Amino acid sequence: MTPAHIRLRFADGLLFFLAARHRRSGSVELPHDGTSTLGHAVQSLGVPLTEVGELTVHGPGEATGRAVGPGYRPREAETAYVPTAPRPQAVPAPGPPRFVLDVHLGALARRLRLVGLDAAYGNDASDDELLAQAGRERRVLLTQDRGLLLRRALWLGAYVRGARPDDQLLDVLDRFAPPLKPWTRCMACNGTLAPVAKSEIAPLLRPGTRRTYDSFMRCVSCSRVFWRGAHSGRLESLVDRAVGAAAETERGRGVTVGDAPADGGAATDRGAKANAPRLAGGSEPA
């Protein structure tokens, strides 16, 4: 008896997930046992369902495709079309998207925080801890590890495209269209920043800083103090590019892109006393 087969056709944006022998055509024929789901077939080829949009199938002689879910069980000789995930991609409630990043995306985490996005990150978190945190806190797991995205325990995840952190930031903004609030989060710990009177933190500042700057922000979680200083130009340029790209991408989608408040800052002072609130480093995000 001739074994049953199905065919999967992948959108161009998914081809890099496939084995090299399948990338040119983007079409793969698979034996099918009649019980495995379409989602299982897709992931068996290395394509995480997190990266896939609405699946459609059509059988021999059918003029149009039918929308189906990942749990659909294909029939003999059916062809399935596998598109990329929609952009912008909606994220289930509550509220705007929040993120957790794997250990290799620390530079991206700092950039997300710089533009005001809730981005949890730990440089020693295990895969199981990341999956648990994503589910418990309803965060989108951002990673370039497809194995993580293939895990059944994952609540919601996304493959981050791009080799450079600046490009990765633009990819996340394009995919999720989150509302931006630059200069409102601590780049070190992800806490929120609040204005603080200079008189409150003056003893923590070096004399040159006290003479030169008047507007300061302090993290409500870790007490680091931020202000616009010698290193702020690079950060302001990064924020401007992110806000501009988000506005261009989201024009017509009704998504709010925030403006940077005048007193948000990035330069910091390393001269704090040991028993004083810790001040963040003054370097740019790596």
Side-chain angles (χ1 to χ4, degrees):
M1 181 178 179
T2 303
H5 285 80
I6 59 172
R7 181 172 295 278
L8 277 64
R9 293 174 48 242
F10 291 87
D12 290 346
L14 299 174
L15 297 185
F16 74 98
F17 287 113
L18 300 175
R21 65 183 182 277
H22 298 313
R23 292 175 191 163
R24 182 178 296 274
S25 67
S27 181
V28 184
E29 186 173 289
L30 293 176
H32 187 59
D33 58 13
T35 59
S36 298
T37 65
L38 182 55
H40 175 80
V42 170
Q43 295 209 128
S44 72
L45 294 170
V47 181
L49 289 178
T50 60
E51 306 311 298
V52 170
E54 185 176 66
L55 300 162
T56 58
V57 298
H58 68 271
E62 293 182 341
T64 59
R66 293 170 281 115
V68 298
Y72 175 77
R73 288 180 170 77
R75 303 165 189 164
E76 162 65 5
E78 282 189 327
T79 296
Y81 177 63
V82 186
T84 57
R87 293 189 176 222
Q89 180 178 345
V91 175
R98 303 191 303 161
F99 304 99
V100 57
L101 291 82
D102 77 16
V103 296
H104 303 292
L105 296 177
L108 173 59
R110 291 188 289 275
R111 282 159 173 76
L112 291 170
R113 294 167 179 174
L114 180 64
V115 296
L117 299 177
D118 188 341
Y121 171 78
N123 60 11
D124 58 353
S126 69
D127 289 355
D128 287 342
E129 289 170 339
L130 290 170
L131 293 169
Q133 184 175 8
R136 182 177 65 253
E137 300 177 8
R138 289 299 187 257
R139 293 179 180 271
V140 180
L141 174 59
L142 301 179
T143 182
Q144 292 186 326
D145 180 351
R146 78 172 71 183
L148 266 177
L149 297 177
L150 292 169
R151 295 276 293 270
R152 294 186 66 180
L154 177 62
W155 176 69
L156 185 60
Y159 186 92
V160 178
R161 288 162 169 76
R164 298 173 60 251
D166 288 3
D167 296 332
Q168 294 168 355
L169 172 63
L170 296 180
D171 178 65
V172 174
L173 299 185
D174 179 66
R175 178 158 179 176
F176 293 101
L180 305 185
K181 296 181 180 179
W183 313 107
T184 60
R185 283 195 174 270
C186 177
M187 292 174 63
C189 80
N190 197 42
T192 57
L193 300 180
V196 60
K198 183 176 180 179
S199 59
E200 290 187 37
I201 45 88
L204 307 177
L205 306 176
R206 289 179 175 178
T209 303
R210 287 198 300 270
R211 289 194 304 269
T212 308
Y213 304 103
D214 295 309
S215 297
F216 297 87
M217 305 282 282
R218 182 162 58 187
C219 176
V220 301
S221 297
C222 71
S223 296
R224 287 174 173 85
V225 177
F226 295 82
W227 64 93
R228 296 202 179 197
H231 297 287
S232 66
R234 156 68 174 156
L235 302 182
E236 289 172 353
S237 176
L238 194 157
V239 168
D240 288 344
R241 289 200 305 274
V243 171
E248 180 67 25
T249 300
E250 304 310 326
R251 184 171 289 116
R253 293 176 177 172
V255 177
T256 301
V257 179
D259 295 323
D263 59 350
T268 60
D269 200 314
R270 296 181 181 273
K273 300 176 183 178
N275 61 347
R278 183 182 176 188
L279 301 182
S283 61
E284 304 168 2

